[in-house]
């Protein structure tokens, strides 16, 4: 397997990841009923976020912590939700990619999830 190198790689990864999340009733309701995401635009925002985060390219400027804090006020994000999210995230990366960027992405996701849990 190759490493994550392009925006297209990130889009593939996010698409596969969300297939898993949205199939799991323990977490899918947050995206479908609470956040009411439009999947196509949400995937593009996620790709923008990770492209900025991993490659220092792009113009993503939203406050991710605030978005999730607002969501947490609507429906409590539990430790279980974070564990499910991280598990699918890491599994999806491992199923599709291998390399330094893939490992950096998993480490960064864990850091983000940890900070969010602390701040909420």
């Amino acid at each position: 397997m190759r490493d994550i190198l392009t925006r297209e790689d990130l889009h593939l990864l996010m698409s596969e990841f969300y297939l898993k999340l949205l199939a799991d009733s323990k977490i899918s309701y947050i995206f479908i009923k609470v956040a009411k995401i439009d999947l196509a635009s949400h995937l593009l925002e996620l790709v923008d976020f990770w492209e900025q985060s991993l490659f220092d390219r792009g113009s993503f400027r939203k406050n991710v912590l605030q978005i999730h804090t607002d969501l947490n006020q609507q429906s409590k994000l539990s430790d279980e939700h974070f564990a499910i999210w991280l598990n699918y995230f890491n599994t999806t990366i491992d199923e599709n990619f291998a390399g330094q960027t893939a490992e950096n992405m998993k480490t960064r996701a864990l850091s983000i999830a940890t900070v969010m849990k602390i701040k909420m």
Side-chain angles (χ1 to χ4, degrees):
M1 281 191 283
R2 65 182 186 81
D3 205 354
I4 301 165
L5 302 172
T6 66
R7 183 174 177 81
E8 292 73 24
D9 292 340
L10 292 171
H11 196 277
L12 168 74
L13 183 59
M14 291 299 106
S15 297
E16 294 294 317
F17 172 50
Y18 267 74
L19 284 175
K20 291 175 175 56
L21 284 177
L22 296 178
D24 187 330
S25 62
K26 289 181 253 158
I27 196 167
S28 63
Y29 73 92
I30 294 170
F31 301 97
I32 296 167
K33 294 182 180 175
V34 180
K36 298 178 183 167
I37 63 165
D38 171 65
L39 185 57
S41 21
H42 188 62
L43 289 175
L44 291 177
E45 287 181 344
L46 292 168
V47 170
D48 289 345
F49 171 80
W50 285 108
E51 184 177 41
Q52 180 74 38
S53 183
L54 295 170
F55 305 129
D56 293 320
R57 290 193 306 255
S59 58
F60 186 87
R61 297 286 182 259
K62 292 185 178 183
N63 183 333
V64 174
L65 179 59
Q66 188 61 55
I67 292 167
H68 289 85
T69 300
D70 294 346
L71 186 60
N72 186 57
Q73 289 176 353
Q74 295 175 54
S75 181
K76 176 77 174 140
L77 301 176
S78 69
D79 287 346
E80 181 183 22
H81 291 132
F82 283 100
I84 291 167
W85 188 93
L86 280 169
N87 179 58
Y88 287 136
F89 194 84
N90 291 336
T91 298
T92 307
I93 291 173
D94 291 341
E95 289 172 348
N96 292 279
F97 298 99
Q100 191 59 53
T101 303
E103 292 306 313
N104 289 348
M105 193 173 188
K106 291 190 289 187
T107 300
R108 195 152 301 174
L110 176 59
S111 294
I112 291 167
T114 301
V115 168
M116 283 187 185
K117 285 184 355 181
I118 290 168
K119 299 264 182 179
M120 291 183 198

